[in-house]
Amino acid sequence: MDGGRGEGARKLGVLDYLDRETVRAYDETLKKVRDDEIRQSLQLFRNNHAKMADQLDDVAERMGWRRETPSESFRSFFFEHTQIIRNAKDEDEALEGLLLIEQANLGECRRTLAAGPPLGAADIVRQMCTFEERDVDYLAKHVRPMTGLTAVAHEAQSGKGAWDMSVQELYVMLSGLRFMDEQTANAYDAALPKAASDEVSGQLQLFRDDHKRHVKAIDNLLEKMGTTPQLATGELQQYLFEAIGLIGRAKDQDDALERLLLLERANSAEYESVSRANIPNEEAMRLIEQHHLDEQHHTAWVELHTPIAVGYGSQSAPRVGEDPTSTPGL
């Protein structure tokens, strides 16, 4: 197989694997969902993933390409996150896990489209990106934020937001976002020793400083509102402390960035979820929107600098321009 054919087969193999495994994730999520309207939407999204995978199979067969499979680390990522959904205590936890998987899908789909989709698959990849944007948007609207509220309405009839946030709920949300920003700054500190170049090190420091700036801005806003940050939930603390520990134990830059990517996607999803509300404070609303833009920028940069295959491959995965057939494990 020549380099061009190999690259095309590799891309199709990764996208096909993403779709097949996401179908499994949807199957596990559907077991947890009790809301009939959400179940119907998720079933549609699940079937779209299965359909896209079948179409990618058809292209590979038509082009005579040997099926390429992802690395063991990439498989482990999906296994871990499917287990999170499988072990979820309720619908909200399952949807949170599914949102992270779908954000990973959207990132890989966009990257494939930007780099040039495989011959004969351009229309399919464009359709996949459209589906992924829809899926991520829907899940972000319906997921419960991780910051401590126990009950959130779904979409309001007005369309202005997913739910009406009280002032007390705003305190809880801002406190949770503050804790996420504070701990993500610590995660960047843990990742800095793994940086393999001055360029990467400099960018990580800038992003760390963004998160510290977010913390200070939220502190200032809470002080204006006459309150102080509340303690984050035990679940949120455990999630972030474990994430930082994994980054600190990373074996190299790629491994550290893979873990940072997952954390930044969680941050972006959290800000997205909170921003869906009708927030009873104009300054808080603007602040959350600004921070959400920062999180999207962080996610895009880290995603671009992780190993190929959504950043969840391993050192065995080929880099851009390498012949996949020369590297075992993919």
Side-chain angles (χ1 to χ4, degrees):
M1 185 187 302
D2 63 41
R5 288 165 59 86
E7 178 68 5
R10 187 197 62 74
K11 287 181 179 179
L12 287 184
V14 168
L15 292 174
D16 180 72
Y17 184 82
L18 281 166
D19 275 320
R20 298 291 182 194
E21 292 303 305
T22 303
V23 168
R24 299 178 194 273
Y26 270 96
D27 286 340
E28 294 298 331
T29 304
L30 284 164
K31 296 176 184 177
K32 310 285 183 177
V33 174
R34 298 292 174 260
D35 186 296
D36 288 339
E37 178 186 348
I38 295 178
R39 283 186 61 82
Q40 290 177 8
S41 295
L42 296 190
Q43 188 65 54
L44 172 64
F45 302 165
R46 179 236 183 247
N47 293 343
N48 287 154
H49 280 286
K51 179 181 178 181
M52 291 293 99
D54 288 342
Q55 290 182 6
L56 290 173
D57 284 344
D58 290 342
V59 171
E61 182 176 357
R62 187 168 67 249
M63 301 300 294
W65 286 342
R66 176 174 62 83
R67 172 49 49 85
E68 300 288 342
T69 57
S71 67
E72 286 303 318
S73 294
F74 193 25
R75 289 194 181 104
S76 294
F77 162 74
F78 266 92
F79 177 78
E80 288 175 11
H81 283 72
T82 302
Q83 284 294 105
I84 289 172
I85 295 171
R86 185 175 292 126
N87 296 331
K89 297 189 296 289
D90 53 33
E91 173 180 306
D92 291 318
E93 286 189 6
L95 290 175
E96 187 82 46
L98 185 60
L99 176 58
L100 290 175
I101 288 177
E102 283 290 36
Q103 286 182 316
N105 288 341
L106 178 57
E108 182 64 17
C109 185
R110 283 174 170 167
R111 183 158 54 184
T112 300
L113 194 61
L119 184 63
D123 289 342
I124 298 174
V125 174
R126 279 192 286 269
Q127 183 63 69
M128 288 176 69
C129 287
T130 299
F131 283 156
E132 296 300 348
E133 289 171 356
R134 175 204 61 189
D135 298 352
V136 167
D137 185 65
Y138 182 89
L139 290 170
K141 288 179 180 178
H142 289 82
V143 75
R144 176 182 65 86
M146 294 167 24
T147 48
L149 293 183
T150 57
V152 174
H154 292 317
E155 288 180 272
Q157 292 298 318
S158 66
K160 295 180 181 178
W163 50 295
D164 291 321
M165 183 185 291
S166 70
V167 173
Q168 183 58 43
E169 288 168 340
L170 178 59
Y171 295 158
V172 173
M173 287 297 178
L174 287 173
S175 297
L177 293 171
R178 180 198 182 281
F179 184 73
M180 291 185 73
D181 275 311
E182 179 184 62
Q183 296 306 312
T184 304
N186 293 338
Y188 275 98
D189 278 333
L192 275 167
K194 318 293 182 180
S197 70
D198 290 342
E199 176 193 359
V200 171
S201 177
Q203 197 66 55
L204 296 186
Q205 291 179 60
L206 287 174
F207 291 167
R208 176 201 60 192
D209 293 345
D210 281 346
H211 286 285
K212 289 183 175 181
R213 176 171 49 80
H214 292 178
V215 170
K216 186 175 181 180
I218 292 174
D219 281 344
N220 291 340
L221 178 58
L222 288 172
E223 185 178 356
K224 283 184 182 179
M225 298 172 72
T227 188
T228 56
Q230 300 185 21
L231 185 66
T233 63
E235 293 84 359
L236 182 59
Q237 291 184 52
Q238 181 180 0
Y239 169 78
L240 290 168
F241 293 158
E242 288 179 355
I244 294 169
L246 287 170
I247 293 169
R249 294 190 294 274
K251 60 184 180 294
D252 55 24
Q253 175 179 295
D254 287 344
D255 195 17
L257 290 180
E258 288 166 5
R259 297 296 177 176
L260 272 176
L261 178 57
L262 183 59
L263 186 54
E264 284 289 27
R265 279 179 172 144
N267 287 337
S268 184
E270 188 71 3
Y271 269 103
E272 169 74 13
S273 183
V274 174
S275 69
R276 295 284 180 178
N278 296 315
I279 298 173
N281 182 293
E282 187 74 20
E283 185 176 354
M285 182 178 67
R286 290 197 303 270
L287 193 68
I288 289 168
E289 289 174 348
Q290 290 167 4
H291 291 184
H292 184 213
L293 288 173
D294 286 341
E295 298 302 338
Q296 291 173 300
H297 172 58
H298 297 172
T299 300
W301 188 92
V302 177
E303 182 177 86
L304 203 61
H305 290 77
T306 51
I308 212 71
V310 202
Y312 298 102
S314 70
Q315 291 307 299
S316 66
R319 301 297 184 264
V320 175
E322 292 182 352
D323 182 355
T325 60
S326 68
T327 311
L330 184 83

